[in-house]
């Protein structure tokens, strides 16, 4: 059925008895906490809501004069009809439980303006007679039949996460609702989902704080909460997730406070994305503990202070994004020990001193940007050892001077070299002659080689 209405009419006896049995099973045998017990009592009494059902046992529609109030109510009505139609047996309490919770999820995530499945992109099986394990995006354990995965990314879901999802705690391991339009907060009741290994709510419209209860998901390997509207601070309890491999909290903008040092207890981390937030304080000194890191994103925050020398111990890191902060001091020479580094973004800070010659040890480096800092000295000739370098940006370091090293002219893969608002000089045109390199800077010795001359 597609719409639910309420009339001042008594419930048919056969429906009343089945309804009472369903609620008894859900309340007593399964022990599920329903969100509106008073509403359920009203429905059972039928004195206020007054539901009118089709008398036929194959009834699929409920008529009314006012819109039904909750996803719990809608799910109970549908489930009772489901049992009347013999799609599931009353004796099979496990299936009744699963279908009830999944029905609540559906009624929580449908489009209020069009209460049908048409707002979803993929709808196969949902709210039909199919076995719930065959519904689109639902995966069950072959032996127990319990739901182990809810996978509905990019599916035009709206609404909020129902707290009843927590009652699938026996086997549920993966919940992926990435890139939908879900709002509200993450219910604290979800702390019961202690078997979770993946929880991906990225690119939605969540708000409020990140629940501290997430620290109880000790089996979790992937937590994606990026591109939402979370605020307040990163809970230190996340540090208890020692199996975590991917943590993505970027693009929340309102996420404040410092980076909790407890995050460095997550020693299995391979990817840590905290980009585009309002984080302050310093980069933790004990970041050395995250030896498995391949991606570290801290760009566009308000991090200050110097970059710890220990960052050079991250031997597996390939992408380091520290741009657009307030970092000061010298660029650590130890970065030259990050032998796997391919992308090094340091622009938009307040680094001083010279570009370390140790950068020339980064033989896999593709993209190196130190623009918009306060660097001085000259470009080190050792950068000529970075044979894979394609992009080099030194823009707006007004104290950077001296001739461009001839070794840069031997970089066969270099595509862009930026040196605007610096004192860099030399025979730049001759150096890059016959090479497809885009040059951006003030060329004193020629008039046609540089894009901005």
């Amino acid at each position: 059925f597609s719409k639910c209405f309420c009339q001042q009419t008594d419930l048919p006896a056969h429906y009343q008895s089945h309804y009472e049995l369903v609620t008894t099973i859900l309340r007593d045998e399964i022990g599920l906490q329903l969100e509106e017990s008073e509403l359920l009592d009203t429905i059972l009494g039928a004195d206020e809501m007054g539901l009118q059902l089709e008398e036929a046992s194959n009834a699929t529609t409920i008529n009314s004069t006012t819109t039904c109030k909750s996803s719990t109510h809608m799910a109970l009505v549908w489930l009772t009809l489901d049992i009347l139609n013999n799609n599931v047996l009353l004796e099979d309490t496990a299936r009744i439980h699963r279908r009830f919770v999944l029905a609540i999820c559906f009624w929580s995530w449908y489009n209020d303006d069009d209460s049908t499945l048409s707002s979803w992109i993929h709808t196969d099986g949902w709210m039909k007679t199919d076995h719930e394990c065959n519904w689109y995006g639902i995966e069950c354990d072959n032996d127990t039949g319990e739901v182990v995965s809810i996978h509905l990314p990019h599916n035009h879901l709206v609404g909020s996460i129902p707290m009843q999802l927590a009652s699938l705690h026996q086997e549920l391991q993966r919940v992926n609702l990435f890139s939908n339009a879900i709002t509200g907060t993450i219910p604290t009741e979800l702390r019961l989902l202690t078997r979770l290994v993946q929880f991906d709510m990225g690119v939605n419209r969540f708000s409020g704080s990140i629940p501290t209860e997430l620290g109880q998901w000790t089996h979790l390997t992937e937590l994606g909460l990026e591109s939402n509207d979370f605020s307040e601070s990163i809970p230190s309890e996340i540090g208890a997730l020692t199996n975590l491999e991917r943590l993505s909290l970027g693009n929340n903008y309102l996420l404040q406070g410092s980076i909790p040092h407890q995050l460095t207890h997550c020693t299995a981390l391979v990817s840590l994305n905290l980009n585009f937030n309002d984080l302050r304080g310093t980069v933790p000194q004990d970041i050395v503990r995250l030896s498995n890191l391949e991606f570290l994103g801290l760009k566009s925050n308000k991090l200050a202070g110097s970059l710890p020398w220990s960052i050079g111990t991250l031997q597996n890191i390939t992408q380091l994004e520290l741009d657009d902060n307030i970092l000061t001091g010298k660029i650590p020479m130890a970065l030259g020990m990050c032998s796997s580094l391919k992308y090094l973004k340091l622009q938009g800070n307040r680094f001083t001193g010279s570009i370390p010659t140790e950068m020339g040890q980064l033989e896999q480096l593709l993209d190196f940007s130190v623009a918009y800092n306060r660097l001085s000295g000259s470009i080190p000739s050792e950068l000529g050892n970075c044979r894979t370098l394609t992009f080099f940006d030194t823009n707006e370091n007004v104290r950077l001077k001296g001739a461009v090293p001839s070794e840069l002219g031997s970089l066969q893969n270099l595509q862009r070299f930026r040196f605007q608002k610096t004192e860099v000089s030399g025979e730049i045109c001759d150096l890059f002659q016959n090479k497809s390199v885009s040059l951006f800077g003030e060329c004193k010795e020629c008039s046609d080689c540089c894009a901005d001359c």
Side-chain angles (χ1 to χ4, degrees):
F1 57 93
S2 62
K3 294 191 181 294
C4 179
F5 297 100
C6 305
Q7 288 183 343
Q8 303 298 322
T9 309
D10 290 335
L11 288 168
H14 70 285
Y15 177 80
Q16 175 82 33
S17 62
H18 278 77
Y19 202 107
E20 290 176 349
L21 282 171
V22 170
T23 53
T24 297
I25 290 170
L26 293 172
R27 277 179 171 149
D28 300 335
E29 295 192 29
I30 297 173
L32 185 66
Q33 295 295 319
L34 301 178
E35 64 182 58
E36 298 180 33
S37 58
E38 292 182 2
L39 176 59
L40 290 174
D41 292 339
T42 302
I43 293 170
L44 290 174
D47 53 358
E48 181 177 334
M49 302 291 285
L51 299 179
Q52 175 65 54
L53 299 179
E54 292 184 14
E55 292 296 329
S57 61
N58 63 348
T60 56
T61 307
I62 300 175
N63 296 316
S64 80
T65 56
T66 58
T67 304
C68 293
K69 295 182 180 180
S70 73
S71 57
T72 301
H73 162 70
M74 299 289 278
L76 280 167
V77 170
W78 173 83
L79 183 58
T80 303
L81 291 172
D82 202 36
I83 293 171
L84 282 170
N85 291 332
N86 296 316
N87 295 327
V88 60
L89 299 176
L90 275 171
E91 294 80 10
D92 196 347
T93 58
R95 283 200 63 202
I96 288 176
H97 176 209
R98 289 195 297 269
R99 289 174 81 82
F100 174 67
V101 175
L102 292 176
I104 288 181
C105 288
F106 165 66
W107 289 116
S108 298
W109 297 334
Y110 79 98
N111 190 328
D112 287 325
D113 297 326
D114 180 7
S115 55
T116 71
L117 286 169
S118 62
S119 64
W120 288 24
I121 297 176
H122 302 289
T123 65
D124 299 352
W126 279 84
M127 310 309 291
K128 297 179 182 178
T129 60
D130 306 51
H131 194 288
E132 62 277 7
C133 293
N134 294 325
W135 293 1
Y136 175 82
I138 301 302
E139 181 184 347
C140 298
D141 184 271
N142 291 331
D143 296 324
T144 66
E146 296 293 339
V147 176
V148 296
S149 175
I150 300 175
H151 187 80
L152 296 170
H154 307 285
N155 208 37
H156 287 187
L157 308 185
V158 297
S160 59
I161 295 183
M163 66 178 181
Q164 289 87 349
L165 185 62
S167 68
L168 297 179
H169 61 86
Q170 288 183 335
E171 297 286 348
L172 191 59
Q173 299 174 25
R174 293 179 174 84
V175 181
N176 186 340
L177 305 181
F178 179 83
S179 189
N180 284 288
I182 300 174
T183 58
T185 60
I186 296 176
T188 58
E189 290 81 1
L190 297 192
R191 67 185 182 276
L192 299 175
L193 300 176
T194 55
R195 291 180 177 268
L196 280 179
V197 296
Q198 181 197 37
F199 189 73
D200 196 341
M201 298 291 135
V203 194
N204 277 284
R205 300 174 186 173
F206 288 103
S207 57
S209 60
I210 298 173
T212 59
E213 290 80 3
L214 269 59
Q216 299 181 33
W217 296 344
T218 54
H219 294 286
L220 203 67
T221 62
E222 181 178 346
L223 178 58
L225 301 177
E226 73 276 14
S227 298
N228 282 285
D229 294 314
F230 288 111
S231 57
E232 300 186 31
S233 59
I234 300 173
S236 60
E237 287 79 1
I238 290 180
L241 307 180
T242 55
N243 291 301
L244 200 62
E245 297 177 3
R246 186 181 80 88
L247 175 59
S248 185
L249 305 179
N251 296 75
N252 277 289
Y253 298 100
L254 298 177
L255 209 55
Q256 302 173 350
S258 60
I259 300 173
H261 71 87
Q262 289 88 346
L263 283 188
T264 62
H265 299 167
C266 303
T267 54
L269 273 175
V270 173
S271 176
L272 175 58
N273 178 8
L274 303 179
N275 288 337
F276 295 104
N277 284 298
D278 193 29
L279 300 176
R280 300 164 189 257
T282 60
V283 178
Q285 289 283 344
D286 47 358
I287 200 169
V288 60
R289 301 179 64 175
L290 303 181
S291 59
N292 294 302
L293 267 188
E294 296 178 6
F295 172 82
L296 177 59
L298 302 177
K299 71 185 297 182
S300 295
N301 283 284
K302 293 184 175 67
L303 298 173
S306 59
L307 202 56
W309 180 91
S310 57
I311 204 166
T313 62
L314 303 178
Q315 295 294 304
N316 293 306
I317 198 159
T318 62
Q319 191 164 346
L320 181 57
E321 298 181 354
L322 300 171
D323 38 319
D324 298 325
N325 280 286
I326 320 172
L327 296 172
T328 57
K330 295 183 178 181
I331 298 173
M333 295 184 293
L335 280 174
M337 297 189 295
C338 299
S339 56
S340 300
L341 202 56
K342 295 181 179 179
Y343 301 91
L344 180 55
K345 298 287 193 176
L346 303 176
Q347 71 266 25
N349 282 286
R350 299 177 184 176
F351 288 117
T352 56
S354 59
I355 300 173
T357 58
E358 288 78 5
M359 297 297 99
Q361 301 173 23
L362 304 176
E363 297 181 355
Q364 299 187 53
L365 196 61
L366 298 172
D367 190 330
F368 183 30
S369 178
V370 292
Y372 307 101
N373 278 289
R374 301 174 181 179
L375 299 176
S376 57
S378 58
I379 297 173
S381 60
E382 286 81 0
L383 287 179
N385 297 324
C386 303
R387 301 296 182 185
T388 58
L389 192 64
T390 60
F391 180 81
F392 182 36
D393 190 354
T394 65
N395 272 1
E396 298 205 28
N397 285 281
V398 296
R399 297 179 182 177
L400 196 64
K401 59 185 179 180
V404 175
S406 59
E407 288 81 358
L408 264 62
S410 64
L411 296 176
Q412 299 298 319
N413 295 298
L414 190 63
Q415 297 175 9
R416 288 192 175 191
F417 174 33
R418 297 177 180 270
F419 53 96
Q420 293 165 301
K421 295 187 179 180
T422 68
E423 293 298 318
V424 170
S425 60
E427 301 296 327
I428 299 176
C429 287
D430 292 339
L431 191 60
F432 295 102
Q433 189 175 12
N434 299 323
K435 290 184 175 65
S436 56
V437 180
S438 296
L439 301 172
F440 298 84
E442 294 80 14
C443 303
K444 295 180 174 62
E445 74 281 3
C446 61
S447 60
D448 58 356
C449 70
C450 299
D452 289 345
C453 285

